[in-house]
Amino acid sequence: MTYSRTMTRSKPQRSCSVCRVKSDKSDLIRVVRSPEGRAVVDIMKKLPGRGAYICPDSECIMNARKSGKLAHALGAVIDDDFWRQLEEAAGNSGTNAGLKVRSVLGLSRKSGLLIIGSDNIERERRKMLVLMACDCSEAVREFARKHECMLLDMNTAQLSEVIGTRGGVQIVGLPLNSGFAKKLISLKNERGIAI
Ligand SMILES: [Zn+2]
């Protein structure tokens, strides 16, 4: 009897406030409404107050922003700082390759290693890992195929935002032997598809 009870005991589950999918509580990000009525990411999942859960998923975070569902669930004011915290928490959760890719791209841009645009990539003498936005042109795809390349799970607008430039960036490159490139390749292998 004891044995079967152990077998059927399940981890506590919660629903994501945005997509409504149930997951183990430990896999979700908890957010709470602070006493001042602001939304706060509850990293340790211990803060008191009205709380809600969200998947550590870029799509759910994007939908939460667009739909206002999280603000509604919390009855709280949500500022840009909160969204940054949330994306960071999601990036660190270890469950979402897409957010990690964003963070690697952002960091590589800050480090100055990221090369933007096919003309600049072409000028590089080193072997490059080339990353394409999912809505890039056929000409860009053709160009990318000449290199070690990956199709990103983000469009030109998203890619531009991630690397902090204005305008439609369709393609970026990183030296193939850089840590950033290696990290991206391992993320791609982890997920097994375009990232
Ligand atoms: Zn969700």
Side-chain angles (χ1 to χ4, degrees):
M1 278 311 278
T2 314
Y3 180 68
S4 75
R5 244 196 330 258
T6 310
M7 290 294 284
T8 53
R9 190 196 294 151
S10 57
K11 290 185 186 172
Q13 303 256 304
R14 293 292 182 276
S15 299
C16 168
S17 296
V18 182
C19 69
R20 293 276 146 213
V21 173
K22 272 195 176 166
S23 305
D24 290 347
K25 191 176 148 188
S26 55
D27 289 340
L28 296 166
I29 299 172
R30 184 169 189 259
V31 295
V32 292
R33 178 192 152 138
S34 75
E36 299 81 36
R38 292 174 38 147
V40 179
V41 179
D42 180 14
I43 304 286
M44 304 305 290
K45 299 191 175 116
K46 284 194 172 144
L47 291 177
R50 182 166 164 182
Y53 290 85
I54 181 168
C55 307
D57 182 280
S58 51
E59 209 176 302
C60 276
I61 294 175
M62 209 163 67
N63 287 339
R65 274 187 106 138
K66 270 197 253 166
S67 67
K69 277 181 187 164
L70 208 54
H72 183 74
L74 292 173
V77 179
I78 296 189
D79 55 23
D80 283 350
D81 212 44
F82 171 84
W83 294 118
R84 267 196 297 277
Q85 281 178 35
L86 190 58
E87 299 227 349
E88 207 177 287
N92 291 336
S93 74
T95 55
N96 190 280
L99 275 162
K100 283 193 214 157
V101 169
R102 283 162 182 261
S103 129
V104 173
L105 283 175
L107 288 172
S108 69
R109 166 77 167 152
K110 278 183 201 140
S111 78
L113 272 177
L114 193 75
I115 311 293
I116 299 169
S118 47
D119 290 350
N120 293 327
I121 293 167
E122 189 73 69
R123 265 183 233 120
E124 289 289 320
R125 297 286 169 86
R126 321 173 255 193
K127 280 197 172 169
M128 302 291 282
L129 172 68
V130 165
L131 305 134
M132 295 170 272
C134 58
D135 59 349
C136 71
S137 70
E138 194 46 49
V140 166
R141 271 171 204 252
E142 193 110 321
F143 170 83
R145 280 191 209 109
K146 291 188 282 182
H147 299 80
E148 180 87 24
C149 69
M150 277 164 131
L151 187 65
L152 293 164
D153 190 15
M154 56 182 96
N155 61 29
T156 50
Q158 290 165 329
L159 177 58
S160 307
E161 196 193 322
V162 164
I163 61 175
T165 55
R166 233 183 286 171
V169 174
Q170 297 193 44
I171 190 166
V172 293
L174 280 164
L176 197 53
N177 63 3
S178 67
F180 294 119
K182 283 174 189 155
K183 180 72 190 167
L184 289 171
I185 290 166
S186 80
L187 284 169
K188 179 189 178 185
N189 293 340
E190 199 177 288
R191 194 151 144 189
I193 45 162
I195 53 170

XYZ file of all heavy atoms in Angstrom, residues 7-91:
651
model
N 3.949 5.800 -5.442
C 3.929 5.824 -6.899
C 2.952 6.871 -7.450
O 3.194 7.463 -8.476
C 3.520 4.458 -7.461
C 4.560 3.379 -7.262
S 6.058 3.708 -8.210
C 5.498 3.255 -9.854
N 1.856 7.045 -6.741
C 0.846 7.945 -7.295
C 1.012 9.387 -6.817
O 0.341 10.274 -7.299
C -0.583 7.481 -6.933
O -0.636 7.320 -5.521
C -0.945 6.188 -7.615
N 1.901 9.576 -5.835
C 2.066 10.947 -5.341
C 2.677 11.809 -6.454
O 3.674 11.436 -7.057
C 2.985 10.955 -4.132
C 2.996 12.322 -3.441
C 4.167 12.444 -2.498
N 4.046 11.521 -1.373
C 5.097 11.009 -0.723
N 6.303 11.303 -1.099
N 4.908 10.170 0.277
N 2.059 12.937 -6.729
C 2.592 13.762 -7.807
C 3.066 15.098 -7.259
O 2.669 15.527 -6.191
C 1.538 13.978 -8.876
O 0.399 14.552 -8.285
N 3.916 15.722 -8.027
C 4.417 17.043 -7.627
C 3.285 18.055 -7.729
O 2.394 17.909 -8.565
C 5.515 17.460 -8.594
C 6.800 16.674 -8.477
C 7.812 17.311 -9.419
C 9.087 16.525 -9.503
N 9.966 17.046 -10.559
N 3.334 19.102 -6.893
C 2.273 20.113 -6.987
C 2.243 20.767 -8.360
O 3.292 21.088 -8.921
C 2.637 21.127 -5.894
C 4.011 20.798 -5.443
C 4.302 19.394 -5.843
N 1.052 20.937 -8.872
C 0.892 21.497 -10.212
C 0.233 22.874 -10.139
O -0.547 23.140 -9.236
C -0.022 20.595 -11.044
C 0.458 19.160 -11.157
C 1.062 18.888 -12.504
O 0.425 19.090 -13.531
N 2.295 18.441 -12.509
N 0.579 23.705 -11.091
C -0.073 25.016 -11.223
C -0.305 25.287 -12.702
O 0.384 24.745 -13.557
C 0.814 26.132 -10.652
C 1.032 26.097 -9.144
C -0.219 26.403 -8.345
N 0.017 26.400 -6.898
C 0.014 25.318 -6.130
N -0.221 24.123 -6.662
N 0.226 25.416 -4.830
N -1.268 26.168 -12.980
C -1.526 26.553 -14.370
C -0.834 27.866 -14.684
O -0.824 28.772 -13.861
C -3.016 26.757 -14.612
O -3.703 25.563 -14.366
N -0.308 27.963 -15.882
C 0.237 29.226 -16.368
C -0.928 30.201 -16.561
O -1.947 29.847 -17.152
C 0.960 28.975 -17.685
S 1.391 30.466 -18.602
N -0.781 31.407 -16.061
C -1.853 32.408 -16.156
C -2.131 32.834 -17.584
O -3.161 33.428 -17.862
C -1.484 33.666 -15.384
O -1.376 33.380 -14.041
N -1.196 32.537 -18.473
C -1.327 32.999 -19.848
C -1.869 31.899 -20.762
O -2.919 32.046 -21.375
C 0.019 33.535 -20.375
C -0.121 34.058 -21.787
C 0.540 34.618 -19.452
N -1.162 30.757 -20.817
C -1.603 29.696 -21.735
C -2.497 28.667 -21.048
O -3.086 27.815 -21.706
C -0.399 29.010 -22.370
S 0.574 28.035 -21.216
N -2.569 28.722 -19.706
C -3.447 27.842 -18.925
C -2.960 26.397 -18.860
O -3.655 25.534 -18.325
C -4.889 27.857 -19.475
C -5.580 29.171 -19.293
C -6.170 29.236 -17.897
N -6.122 30.585 -17.376
C -5.956 30.881 -16.084
N -5.827 29.931 -15.202
N -5.920 32.116 -15.672
N -1.812 26.105 -19.426
C -1.283 24.740 -19.373
C -0.767 24.459 -17.964
O -0.138 25.305 -17.344
C -0.143 24.560 -20.406
C 0.546 23.205 -20.247
C -0.692 24.712 -21.812
N -1.090 23.250 -17.444
C -0.631 22.866 -16.111
C 0.776 22.289 -16.175
O 1.083 21.486 -17.056
C -1.567 21.807 -15.528
C -2.719 22.409 -14.792
C -3.421 21.374 -13.934
C -4.513 22.092 -13.156
N -5.447 21.178 -12.554
N 1.611 22.711 -15.258
C 2.971 22.167 -15.167
C 3.317 21.984 -13.702
O 2.610 22.482 -12.829
C 4.000 23.128 -15.770
O 3.680 23.463 -17.078
N 4.423 21.275 -13.448
C 4.916 21.205 -12.072
C 5.196 22.627 -11.608
O 5.780 23.416 -12.348
C 6.218 20.400 -12.005
C 5.986 18.921 -12.257
O 4.808 18.500 -12.235
O 6.964 18.204 -12.488
N 4.786 22.900 -10.390
C 4.995 24.225 -9.823
C 6.462 24.642 -9.939
O 6.777 25.794 -10.229
C 4.573 24.155 -8.348
C 4.455 25.464 -7.643
C 3.934 25.185 -6.232
C 4.494 26.189 -5.250
N 4.156 25.833 -3.869
N 7.351 23.662 -9.745
C 8.787 23.975 -9.753
C 9.293 24.394 -11.136
O 10.353 24.997 -11.252
C 9.576 22.766 -9.253
O 9.240 21.628 -10.020
N 8.543 24.061 -12.189
C 8.967 24.423 -13.542
C 8.441 25.787 -13.981
O 8.794 26.267 -15.048
C 8.487 23.382 -14.556
C 9.244 22.074 -14.411
O 10.344 22.099 -13.830
O 8.736 21.043 -14.870
N 7.565 26.370 -13.184
C 6.970 27.657 -13.561
C 7.618 28.813 -12.800
O 8.245 28.602 -11.769
C 5.464 27.640 -13.256
C 4.643 26.636 -14.064
C 3.256 26.473 -13.452
C 4.543 27.063 -15.513
N 7.446 30.001 -13.317
C 7.938 31.194 -12.614
C 6.777 31.771 -11.814
O 5.683 31.956 -12.343
C 8.441 32.255 -13.611
C 9.595 31.701 -14.443
C 8.880 33.529 -12.870
C 10.017 32.621 -15.580
N 7.039 32.048 -10.541
C 5.990 32.666 -9.723
C 6.175 34.175 -9.724
O 7.291 34.678 -9.609
C 6.044 32.139 -8.288
C 4.913 32.683 -7.433
C 4.815 31.955 -6.091
N 3.598 32.370 -5.401
C 3.573 33.264 -4.415
N 4.685 33.824 -3.998
N 2.428 33.583 -3.857
N 5.081 34.872 -9.890
C 5.106 36.324 -9.789
C 4.072 36.728 -8.745
O 3.076 36.031 -8.553
C 4.803 37.002 -11.152
C 5.894 36.687 -12.157
C 3.466 36.555 -11.724
N 4.343 37.803 -8.043
C 3.413 38.260 -7.007
C 3.156 39.750 -7.119
O 3.926 40.486 -7.739
C 3.911 37.974 -5.561
C 3.930 36.513 -5.253
C 5.260 38.613 -5.304
N 2.092 40.134 -6.492
C 1.768 41.549 -6.372
C 2.343 42.042 -5.054
O 2.062 41.488 -3.995
C 0.241 41.662 -6.363
C -0.272 43.038 -6.189
C -1.763 42.919 -5.906
N -2.171 44.044 -5.107
C -3.299 44.708 -5.319
N -4.128 44.319 -6.254
N -3.596 45.723 -4.574
N 3.184 43.038 -5.144
C 3.815 43.574 -3.930
C 2.775 44.374 -3.147
O 1.737 44.738 -3.688
C 4.984 44.480 -4.305
O 4.484 45.711 -4.793
N 3.072 44.652 -1.865
C 2.130 45.461 -1.074
C 1.824 46.814 -1.728
O 0.754 47.371 -1.533
C 2.869 45.654 0.259
C 3.811 44.509 0.341
C 4.216 44.197 -1.068
N 2.779 47.302 -2.540
C 2.536 48.587 -3.221
C 1.727 48.421 -4.502
O 1.504 49.394 -5.236
C 3.858 49.281 -3.566
C 4.738 49.643 -2.381
C 5.549 48.458 -1.865
O 5.984 47.634 -2.690
O 5.709 48.342 -0.629
N 1.369 47.160 -4.816
C 0.532 46.936 -5.989
C 1.299 46.795 -7.277
O 0.749 46.943 -8.359
N 2.606 46.493 -7.161
C 3.416 46.290 -8.370
C 3.740 44.812 -8.543
O 3.863 44.072 -7.579
C 4.719 47.078 -8.265
C 4.507 48.592 -8.318
C 5.803 49.292 -8.063
N 6.893 48.543 -8.699
C 7.971 49.107 -9.215
N 8.118 50.390 -9.167
N 8.905 48.367 -9.762
N 3.893 44.405 -9.801
C 4.235 43.011 -10.080
C 5.721 42.781 -9.819
O 6.552 43.592 -10.194
C 3.902 42.681 -11.525
N 6.021 41.671 -9.150
C 7.401 41.333 -8.809
C 7.639 39.864 -9.156
O 6.757 39.035 -8.957
C 7.650 41.527 -7.285
C 9.068 41.163 -6.916
C 7.322 42.945 -6.861
N 8.821 39.549 -9.704
C 9.170 38.150 -9.947
C 9.644 37.547 -8.630
O 10.538 38.066 -7.979
C 10.284 38.033 -11.023
C 10.661 36.573 -11.237
C 9.824 38.661 -12.329
N 9.014 36.440 -8.250
C 9.302 35.805 -6.958
C 10.241 34.621 -7.181
O 9.810 33.475 -7.283
C 7.974 35.361 -6.332
C 8.169 34.683 -4.992
O 9.284 34.787 -4.432
O 7.215 34.067 -4.508
N 11.538 34.946 -7.245
C 12.539 33.927 -7.588
C 12.496 32.735 -6.630
O 12.522 31.582 -7.050
C 13.967 34.538 -7.575
C 14.059 35.748 -8.512
C 15.009 33.480 -7.918
C 14.087 35.425 -9.976
N 12.404 33.006 -5.317
C 12.448 31.912 -4.343
C 11.065 31.284 -4.116
O 10.932 30.330 -3.372
C 12.998 32.417 -2.999
C 14.377 33.072 -3.078
S 15.617 32.017 -3.845
C 15.789 30.786 -2.545
N 10.081 31.806 -4.778
C 8.699 31.307 -4.658
C 8.216 31.327 -3.220
O 7.570 30.405 -2.746
C 8.576 29.895 -5.234
C 8.929 29.854 -6.720
C 8.554 28.523 -7.329
C 8.782 28.531 -8.826
N 9.781 27.620 -9.296
N 8.571 32.377 -2.511
C 8.214 32.427 -1.089
C 7.570 33.730 -0.672
O 7.170 33.885 0.473
C 9.464 32.191 -0.243
C 9.851 30.725 -0.250
C 10.842 30.385 0.810
C 11.033 28.876 0.872
N 12.375 28.482 1.160
N 7.511 34.700 -1.568
C 6.955 36.002 -1.179
C 5.466 35.879 -0.895
O 4.758 35.149 -1.577
C 7.172 37.037 -2.293
C 8.605 37.491 -2.554
C 8.646 38.446 -3.739
C 9.200 38.151 -1.317
N 5.015 36.594 0.151
C 3.581 36.576 0.426
C 2.854 37.453 -0.583
O 3.463 38.252 -1.280
C 3.489 37.185 1.827
C 4.682 38.078 1.938
C 5.756 37.473 1.069
N 1.560 37.289 -0.646
C 0.767 38.152 -1.520
C 0.117 37.399 -2.648
O 0.374 36.213 -2.863
N -0.711 38.110 -3.367
C -1.449 37.518 -4.481
C -0.455 37.113 -5.565
O 0.308 37.924 -6.064
C -2.405 38.576 -5.018
C -3.281 38.119 -6.158
C -4.374 39.145 -6.324
N -5.056 39.038 -7.591
C -6.026 39.869 -7.946
N -6.388 40.856 -7.139
N -6.632 39.725 -9.100
N -0.470 35.831 -5.934
C 0.527 35.331 -6.871
C -0.085 34.751 -8.119
O -1.285 34.505 -8.202
N 0.762 34.558 -9.114
C 0.347 33.900 -10.353
C 1.564 33.171 -10.903
O 2.696 33.428 -10.470
C -0.165 34.931 -11.352
N 1.314 32.260 -11.831
C 2.411 31.495 -12.415
C 2.448 31.696 -13.919
O 1.419 31.935 -14.541
C 2.262 30.006 -12.094
C 2.510 29.715 -10.637
C 1.494 29.837 -9.702
C 3.770 29.346 -10.203
C 1.722 29.594 -8.357
C 4.024 29.099 -8.863
C 2.999 29.222 -7.946
O 3.237 28.981 -6.620
N 3.652 31.610 -14.455
C 3.799 31.709 -15.908
C 4.912 30.769 -16.367
O 5.886 30.545 -15.637
C 4.073 33.175 -16.356
C 4.204 33.282 -17.875
C 5.310 33.746 -15.675
C 4.179 34.700 -18.423
N 4.738 30.192 -17.550
C 5.765 29.312 -18.119
C 7.041 30.127 -18.387
O 6.945 31.281 -18.787
C 5.330 28.739 -19.459
S 3.749 27.914 -19.481
N 8.207 29.540 -18.230
C 9.454 30.233 -18.581
C 9.656 30.168 -20.088
O 10.609 29.582 -20.587
C 10.524 29.429 -17.838
C 9.946 28.068 -17.725
C 8.445 28.208 -17.689
N 8.746 30.753 -20.795
C 8.671 30.570 -22.231
C 8.496 31.927 -22.909
O 7.631 32.705 -22.510
C 7.462 29.676 -22.509
C 7.308 29.361 -23.970
O 6.786 30.219 -24.710
O 7.712 28.266 -24.365
N 9.301 32.178 -23.926
C 9.260 33.503 -24.559
C 7.881 33.799 -25.136
O 7.420 34.927 -25.126
C 10.323 33.607 -25.655
O 10.229 32.521 -26.531
N 7.219 32.752 -25.625
C 5.904 32.973 -26.218
C 4.882 33.374 -25.153
O 4.086 34.290 -25.357
C 5.452 31.698 -26.929
C 4.544 32.006 -28.101
C 4.187 30.737 -28.857
O 5.135 30.061 -29.323
O 3.006 30.419 -28.947
N 4.923 32.694 -24.014
C 3.990 33.045 -22.940
C 4.272 34.449 -22.413
O 3.330 35.190 -22.097
C 4.059 32.034 -21.801
S 3.043 30.595 -22.120
N 5.542 34.805 -22.320
C 5.880 36.144 -21.818
C 5.395 37.199 -22.808
O 4.804 38.209 -22.424
C 7.397 36.262 -21.550
C 7.780 35.328 -20.399
C 7.778 37.706 -21.219
C 9.260 35.257 -20.106
N 5.598 36.914 -24.090
C 5.148 37.857 -25.113
C 3.614 38.000 -25.066
O 3.082 39.104 -25.113
C 5.582 37.342 -26.483
C 5.815 38.417 -27.512
S 6.771 37.750 -28.891
C 5.579 36.597 -29.579
N 2.944 36.864 -24.956
C 1.472 36.908 -24.887
C 0.984 37.599 -23.618
O -0.040 38.275 -23.632
C 0.886 35.494 -24.961
C 0.990 34.925 -26.358
O 1.129 35.679 -27.319
N 0.952 33.606 -26.469
N 1.722 37.409 -22.540
C 1.352 38.075 -21.281
C 1.422 39.585 -21.456
O 0.564 40.324 -20.980
C 2.292 37.637 -20.155
N 2.441 40.024 -22.157
C 2.600 41.468 -22.411
C 1.459 41.987 -23.260
O 0.885 43.036 -22.979
C 3.904 41.730 -23.171
C 5.090 41.874 -22.283
C 6.299 42.294 -23.092
N 6.587 43.693 -22.837
C 7.811 44.176 -22.654
N 8.850 43.389 -22.733
N 8.002 45.446 -22.412
N 1.176 41.244 -24.325
C 0.154 41.695 -25.278
C -1.240 41.650 -24.682
O -2.030 42.570 -24.855
C 0.201 40.817 -26.534
C 1.154 41.352 -27.586
C 0.886 40.722 -28.926
C 1.969 39.724 -29.273
N 1.713 38.825 -30.340
N -1.548 40.558 -23.989
C -2.929 40.337 -23.557
C -3.264 41.025 -22.239
O -4.428 41.233 -21.926
C -3.173 38.837 -23.396
O -2.389 38.353 -22.320
N -2.235 41.336 -21.449
C -2.505 41.914 -20.133
C -3.022 40.892 -19.134
O -3.489 41.251 -18.054
N -2.910 39.591 -19.495
C -3.464 38.548 -18.614
C -2.750 38.484 -17.271
O -3.379 38.227 -16.244
C -3.367 37.185 -19.302
C -4.506 36.931 -20.271
C -4.363 35.552 -20.888
C -5.394 35.350 -21.987
N -5.039 34.206 -22.840
N -1.454 38.703 -17.306
C -0.708 38.603 -16.053
C -1.058 39.769 -15.126
O -1.264 39.577 -13.930
C 0.801 38.590 -16.356
C 1.685 37.865 -15.362
C 1.220 36.437 -15.138
C 3.120 37.863 -15.850
N -1.134 40.951 -15.708
C -1.518 42.128 -14.922
C -2.894 41.906 -14.308
O -3.148 42.235 -13.151
C -1.526 43.369 -15.814
N -3.768 41.288 -15.091
C -5.124 41.014 -14.630
C -5.108 39.978 -13.507
O -5.774 40.155 -12.478
C -5.967 40.534 -15.810
C -7.388 40.293 -15.442
N -8.274 41.327 -15.213
C -8.077 39.149 -15.227
C -9.438 40.810 -14.887
N -9.350 39.500 -14.889
N -4.341 38.900 -13.708
C -4.287 37.839 -12.690
C -3.757 38.378 -11.368
O -4.177 37.954 -10.303
C -3.412 36.682 -13.184
N -2.820 39.311 -11.460
C -2.214 39.849 -10.243
C -2.964 41.064 -9.704
O -2.819 41.425 -8.548
C -0.765 40.278 -10.522
C 0.237 39.171 -10.812
C 1.563 39.781 -11.233
C 0.436 38.287 -9.597
N -3.721 41.688 -10.574
C -4.332 42.969 -10.195
C -3.248 43.985 -9.874
O -3.359 44.753 -8.929
N -2.172 43.929 -10.657
C -1.008 44.767 -10.337
C -0.575 45.592 -11.537
O -0.883 45.270 -12.678
C 0.148 43.878 -9.895
N 0.177 46.640 -11.253
C 0.783 47.454 -12.300
C 2.069 46.758 -12.764
O 2.863 46.317 -11.938
C 1.145 48.855 -11.750
C 1.796 49.704 -12.828
C -0.093 49.532 -11.201
N 2.243 46.634 -14.075
C 3.446 45.972 -14.584
C 4.288 46.979 -15.363
O 3.797 47.623 -16.277
C 3.073 44.765 -15.462
C 2.348 43.720 -14.612
C 4.314 44.180 -16.113
C 2.102 42.398 -15.295
N 5.548 47.108 -14.956
C 6.434 48.044 -15.655
C 7.497 47.277 -16.449
O 7.609 46.060 -16.339
C 7.057 49.030 -14.669
C 7.771 48.324 -13.526
O 8.159 47.149 -13.694
O 7.941 48.937 -12.461
N 8.274 48.016 -17.240
C 9.290 47.393 -18.099
C 10.317 46.611 -17.301
O 10.831 45.595 -17.751
C 10.017 48.461 -18.926
C 9.163 48.925 -20.096
O 8.126 48.280 -20.351
O 9.530 49.931 -20.726
N 10.605 47.102 -16.111
C 11.570 46.443 -15.258
C 11.120 45.023 -14.930
O 11.919 44.087 -14.899
C 11.707 47.258 -13.966
C 13.103 47.171 -13.423
O 14.033 47.295 -14.247
O 13.251 46.968 -12.204
N 9.835 44.880 -14.709
C 9.277 43.563 -14.406
C 9.478 42.617 -15.578
O 9.880 41.463 -15.408
C 7.783 43.677 -14.071
C 7.101 42.340 -13.965
C 7.155 41.625 -12.779
C 6.426 41.796 -15.050
C 6.538 40.379 -12.679
C 5.817 40.556 -14.949
C 5.869 39.846 -13.766
N 9.201 43.101 -16.794
C 9.342 42.223 -17.967
C 10.790 41.788 -18.140
O 11.066 40.655 -18.521
C 8.831 42.923 -19.232
C 7.350 43.178 -19.192
C 6.736 44.392 -19.217
C 6.303 42.198 -19.101
N 5.375 44.229 -19.143
C 5.079 42.902 -19.069
C 6.275 40.802 -19.035
C 3.849 42.257 -18.987
C 5.044 40.161 -18.945
C 3.857 40.882 -18.927
N 11.705 42.713 -17.839
C 13.130 42.359 -17.928
C 13.465 41.270 -16.920
O 14.141 40.299 -17.238
C 14.000 43.594 -17.692
C 14.389 44.311 -18.983
C 15.548 45.258 -18.754
N 15.205 46.319 -17.813
C 14.554 47.435 -18.170
N 14.212 47.622 -19.424
N 14.259 48.339 -17.274
N 12.967 41.453 -15.703
C 13.212 40.436 -14.657
C 12.634 39.086 -15.067
O 13.233 38.041 -14.855
C 12.525 40.843 -13.359
C 13.247 41.878 -12.536
C 12.413 42.214 -11.292
O 11.750 41.354 -10.727
N 12.437 43.464 -10.897
N 11.450 39.156 -15.651
C 10.758 37.921 -16.030
C 11.536 37.181 -17.128
O 11.727 35.968 -17.064
C 9.341 38.260 -16.504
C 8.386 37.087 -16.709
C 8.228 36.269 -15.432
C 7.019 37.584 -17.174
N 11.998 37.932 -18.119
C 12.768 37.312 -19.201
C 14.068 36.725 -18.666
O 14.507 35.665 -19.095
C 13.067 38.331 -20.301
C 11.798 38.866 -20.920
C 11.837 38.880 -22.437
O 12.924 38.673 -22.992
O 10.771 39.085 -23.034
N 14.652 37.433 -17.729
C 15.893 36.951 -17.147
C 15.638 35.664 -16.368
O 16.370 34.695 -16.496
C 16.446 38.020 -16.219
C 17.956 37.955 -16.075
C 18.438 39.093 -15.199
O 18.413 40.223 -15.688
O 18.797 38.840 -14.039
N 14.572 35.665 -15.576
C 14.226 34.471 -14.795
C 13.953 33.300 -15.740
O 14.357 32.169 -15.482
C 13.009 34.746 -13.923
N 13.287 33.586 -16.842
C 12.981 32.532 -17.803
C 14.259 32.024 -18.456
O 14.436 30.830 -18.657
C 12.010 33.055 -18.858
N 15.169 32.953 -18.763
C 16.439 32.576 -19.385
C 17.273 31.706 -18.475
O 18.013 30.839 -18.932
